[in-house]
Structures are given as C-alpha cells and as structure tokens.
Amino acid sequence: MLKTAFFIISLLFASTAEAGYSIKPGRRTPSVIDHLPFHMVADMKRIPQRTSYYAKQLIPMSRSRQLHYDKAYNRRYFAPWSQTAMHEPQKDLTWQLRFVQKRKIYDGRKRLIPPKAWQWWIKNSRLEQLDTVKGKAISIRHTDLRAFPTATPAYRDPWKSTEGFPFDYNQNSELHLNVPLYISHYSLDRKWAFVHAGHAFGWVKLSDIALVSRDFIARFKTGHYAISTKDNLYLYRDSKKESILKLGTLFPLSRNNTLLSLATRDSRGYAVLKKLKKPADALVAPKPIAFTSDNVAYIAQQFHNEPYGWGGKLYTRDCSATTRDFFGCFGIYLDRNSAKQAKAGSAFSVKQIKDKSLKKQTIIRRAKPFRSLLYVPGHIGLYLGQYRGEPVILHTYWGIRLNDWEKYTLARTIITSTEPGKEHPEIREKSKLINTLQKIITF
C-alpha cells in the first residue's frame, strides 16, 4: 500500500535503458504569472540586451578551479542522504507559525483566510514530530517546497504590489527532478513530508517523492553527472509528459556519456532507477560545463525576460533562483536565498562607499564578468561586465522603490545598469541599487 511504503524504506531497481523515456525541448505553460504588470526602463533600450555582448569580457575560470567547486557542489547536493536531523535553528523552522499568527492573510482570490484554516495548517504540520522519521527520499518530478502542508497560497496584502501575487509566503522554494531529500516527518493527513534538500527545506507532496535505500543511493551516486543546460525541457514517457525540467536539473551520467539516470517510483512508493538516452549537450551536458564565453552567454541568455516568480512559483524564478541555476551549470552550488548566497565565494564589501561614481568604478575594478554576484539585502544579481563605464547586471527583479514606497513593477529577468529607472523622477534615490549594494561575491 502507498501509505505503508512511506513508512518502510525499501527499493526496487530497474537499471536497464528505458526506450519509453526521452527529453525534448518545450515551453513553460503560460499562466497568470505571465500577465503581471511589466513596465519598461530606459536601460532596456540603451544597454545591449544580449549576454554575448558581455561574454567577451569574461576571464575564463580554470578547469582545476571549476572541479574544486564541483566537488563541493556534489557534497552539498547529496548531503541530505547523510543527514540525521534538520540543521536550522528552531526559529527558522517555525517562522511560518509566527507569520500566520501575526497578521491577517489572504488566499489567491483575495479572500481572508480564517484562523480555523491556518490553525489546521499548524496542526497538520505536527512540528512536535520533528526528526522522528529520519527518512531518505528523492524527488521524482519538478515540484514545490511549501511553508505549510497545503497548496493554498498565503498573501499578506493582495492589494499591495509587494505583498500580493506572486508573493505567496507559503512558497518556500522548488525542487528539480532527482533532488536528494532528508525526511523529518509526515503531516497528520499523511499527504505531505517535511523535507530538507541541499538548498532549502519545506513541505512536499508525498506523490512527488520516492523513498530510497542505501543500495539505491550507491547506484545513483556515480560521481559522474550531467545537468540540463536548456530551460523548460520536458521529460516524456512515450508520448506523455512526466515533468517539466528546468535548467539546472542534475542527472547521473554513464561513463561513456550516453545514458542518463532518473528516479521514478513504483506503485508502492519505492524508488526505481530508470535510464534514458542523453540528448545533445545543448539540452543536457556533462557537469560542470566549461566556463567559456560561449557557454556563459548561452546559459545566461535563457533567463532573460522570463517572468518573476517568488520561490519558483508556477515554474518561474526569483532573483536567487536565477543566480543559483546559472552557477549550478558550472559546478558552483548556491543556497536558496540571497542572504545565504552573499556568504558564498570571496566577498568584497562596497557598503561603505557612498559616492555613486566611485562605487561603480570599484565594482568594475573588483567584480568579474559572469563570475561575480552583486548583493543588496533582499536582492541579488549576476554581474555581466561594463558598458560605457557602467556596471551591468542580469537580475530577476520585481521592481524599483518609489517615493510613496510602492514599486515600479518590472517583474522580469532583465539586463540593466545599477540605476534602472533613474529617468523616472518618482524613483526613490536612497533605494536605488547603486545606493543599497553592499557586497561583491566572486568565484
């Protein structure tokens, strides 16, 4: 029985190539997120919008340095299978309780969520059962990590540009296919598992994961991996779509570079290993891919103009998901949020520089194109290089703060200077990126 399977760790393997499985290019299914208000700024017209323009400024990373990062990537990626407890402080694991108890929250139709509803979410979470299962699992499709075991969105103020859609506070993050997981415990209704991935934690539907054993782990951890280098691919079984595959999805790769492995699940909920033919490198390539001008431009351009999606909502990305998936292709592992990403790599502080011109010069001098992140509290972007003496960044940006504290909504992944929207007099000077940038993080 499926319920029993999730409490008894076991294994079924199928290691032969599966002719029915294939990976093909596709498109993300359009949704309400594609109709977000999208304003323009002058930078989008005056600054080159092709990443290949900036890739000419790249200082390539040595292969040995890449392999050093990639070794650390693999350790972080597979760490949940060695985990015996949730790592985070109690206050971080329970932030969602304080969130719903503090103020009113609303659903996706702007209706007030009554206390009875969120009290059930808390009860269903069974946080007193933390670390009682200590199970090991793997994601079998692209899926969401939720703050509570519910698909219901939670918005703080749906009438505000920064507190309504798509800022679903129940959306912690997302999981690609093939992500190792540590299971802390199960929800009261037995439909969800509280899990920890290498980059984030939260609730995932039981139907989207499978249990693994030591034998499965040994066979999955080949030490030789591939990663999807094209966004919005689809995994097919015969003619049926099984899952979207976002750029940055990892696969075990055969030594002759011809077969990929993926995790599926049998009818009882046990992990099953399937193999399929590897497509062209333009879709899925051996990891880490070489840090060359052509490759950084190819990967980065795919994010451009994609809609903003908080926590990966509706198969999109927010700022830290964009930087995370970009660097992942090159074997550099980043955490879920911008604050944690700011602690990776080699950091250089620009917080103390108040003069804008000096700060821009410092960024151009210290940051490395496609190898540096620019960090603002709550936001992060990829430094592309300079254009006519201005630092240029690729970033998934919700919007620019106005004098009335609302946002001039951009809601896309854009290529701009560090002063996007400066032509608009209502932009709040103190909130401009150049004035709030604190760190350069370089790899």
Side-chain angles (χ1 to χ4, degrees):
M1 301 295 289
L2 182 60
K3 185 184 295 185
T4 304
F6 277 100
F7 291 91
I8 304 172
I9 296 180
S10 187
L11 171 74
L12 281 178
F13 277 113
S15 57
T16 57
E18 297 289 327
Y21 285 95
S22 61
I23 293 174
K24 300 177 183 178
R27 297 184 65 183
R28 178 180 50 80
T29 302
S31 68
V32 63
I33 212 161
D34 293 278
H35 300 288
L36 289 169
F38 178 41
H39 294 109
M40 296 289 291
V41 292
D43 280 354
M44 297 176 186
K45 294 182 178 180
R46 73 176 187 86
I47 291 177
Q49 297 293 294
R50 298 295 299 179
T51 55
S52 56
Y53 174 88
Y54 306 96
K56 300 170 187 176
Q57 302 174 36
L58 179 75
I59 300 173
M61 186 183 295
S62 71
R63 190 62 178 173
S64 61
R65 188 175 182 86
Q66 261 197 279
L67 293 176
H68 171 77
Y69 281 124
D70 191 59
K71 188 175 181 180
Y73 178 109
N74 294 341
R75 284 198 303 269
R76 289 289 307 281
Y77 189 82
F78 291 107
W81 283 346
S82 302
Q83 211 168 312
T84 57
M86 299 295 279
H87 295 151
E88 283 72 19
Q90 187 73 11
K91 65 179 181 62
D92 293 344
L93 294 172
T94 58
W95 71 267
Q96 66 274 29
L97 308 187
R98 298 185 297 278
F99 176 81
V100 296
Q101 293 167 345
K102 187 177 180 181
R103 282 168 45 191
K104 295 177 181 179
I105 55 173
Y106 299 83
D107 66 14
R109 297 175 66 182
K110 300 184 179 181
R111 299 174 303 187
L112 181 68
I113 296 175
K116 183 179 179 180
W118 56 256
Q119 285 167 1
W120 162 246
W121 297 350
I122 294 174
K123 183 178 180 180
N124 198 29
S125 297
R126 300 172 74 223
L127 290 178
E128 72 278 1
Q129 296 296 313
L130 198 70
D131 293 322
T132 55
V133 171
K134 299 181 183 291
K136 306 295 186 290
I138 191 168
S139 58
I140 60 168
R141 61 178 58 89
H142 192 96
T143 188
D144 292 329
L145 269 180
R146 306 290 287 167
F148 282 106
T150 177
T152 302
Y155 300 108
R156 183 57 91 195
D157 187 343
W159 295 275
K160 280 190 174 183
S161 63
T162 54
E163 297 289 353
F165 183 83
F167 294 95
D168 174 9
Y169 282 85
N170 250 340
Q171 182 75 10
N172 257 9
S173 188
E174 43 69 47
L175 297 174
H176 295 331
L177 168 76
N178 278 349
V179 176
L181 302 168
Y182 164 80
I183 300 176
S184 164
H185 64 287
Y186 302 103
S187 60
L188 186 61
D189 63 9
R190 299 297 193 269
K191 294 180 180 179
W192 300 78
F194 193 52
V195 302
H196 200 298
H199 69 292
F201 66 89
W203 290 94
V204 62
K205 290 180 180 178
L206 287 183
S207 57
D208 291 341
I209 66 175
L211 292 172
V212 299
S213 71
R214 290 180 180 178
D215 194 21
F216 180 92
I217 291 171
R219 295 185 65 181
F220 194 89
K221 292 176 65 176
T222 62
H224 192 48
Y225 306 103
I227 199 160
S228 55
T229 53
K230 180 73 175 174
D231 207 20
N232 299 323
L233 300 174
Y234 278 91
L235 173 68
Y236 284 83
R237 185 173 186 180
D238 298 320
S239 59
K240 181 184 176 183
K241 287 181 179 179
E242 292 287 307
S243 177
I244 193 171
L245 301 176
K246 301 297 288 183
L247 188 153
T249 301
L250 181 144
F251 299 87
L253 177 64
S254 63
R255 286 294 171 183
N256 61 4
N257 291 349
T258 60
L259 294 176
L260 303 176
S261 295
L262 63 99
T264 66
R265 193 188 63 197
D266 76 343
S267 60
R268 296 177 297 163
Y270 298 150
V272 180
L273 196 66
K274 300 289 185 180
K275 294 191 177 182
L276 69 156
K277 184 179 179 181
K278 189 187 88 64
D281 283 0
L283 304 183
V284 181
K287 179 180 79 73
I289 67 172
F291 215 101
T292 65
S293 297
D294 287 344
N295 286 344
V296 296
Y298 175 72
I299 298 297
Q301 191 65 42
Q302 293 181 62
F303 301 113
H304 184 244
N305 212 36
E306 279 291 293
Y308 181 102
W310 174 266
K313 192 174 181 68
L314 295 172
Y315 309 116
T316 57
R317 294 178 177 88
D318 55 20
C319 63
S320 58
T322 295
T323 52
R324 172 179 155 74
D325 283 344
F326 171 81
F327 278 105
C329 291
F330 301 99
I332 297 172
Y333 196 93
L334 294 178
D335 281 308
R336 154 74 182 96
N337 62 51
S338 57
K340 290 185 176 179
Q341 290 185 5
K343 297 177 182 178
S346 175
F348 180 83
S349 177
V350 292
K351 183 179 179 180
Q352 73 284 0
I353 304 175
K354 304 303 180 184
D355 180 79
K356 288 195 294 187
S357 295
L358 179 58
K359 199 177 218 181
K360 291 177 183 180
Q361 293 168 16
T362 302
I363 291 169
I364 292 172
R365 187 174 70 253
R366 300 291 306 221
K368 294 182 179 180
F370 296 89
R371 291 175 57 174
S372 291
L373 297 168
L374 299 186
Y375 169 70
V376 171
H379 185 60
I380 202 158
L382 177 67
Y383 176 68
L384 296 184
Q386 61 96 12
Y387 177 70
R388 296 181 177 176
E390 290 277 344
V392 176
I393 53 177
L394 173 91
H395 53 143
T396 306
Y397 199 29
W398 175 247
I400 310 165
R401 183 70 66 187
L402 302 175
N403 288 322
D404 64 2
W405 286 95
E406 280 295 311
K407 286 288 186 83
Y408 185 75
T409 307
L410 300 175
R412 289 291 188 277
T413 301
I414 55 179
I415 295 174
T416 71
S417 70
T418 54
E419 292 188 83
K422 67 179 181 179
E423 68 276 9
H424 295 288
E426 66 271 27
I427 300 299
R428 187 172 185 268
E429 180 66 28
K430 289 184 178 180
S431 297
K432 287 181 178 178
L433 289 179
I434 190 60
N435 292 324
T436 53
L437 278 168
Q438 293 189 0
K439 287 183 182 179
I440 303 167
I441 302 96
T442 301
F443 300 95

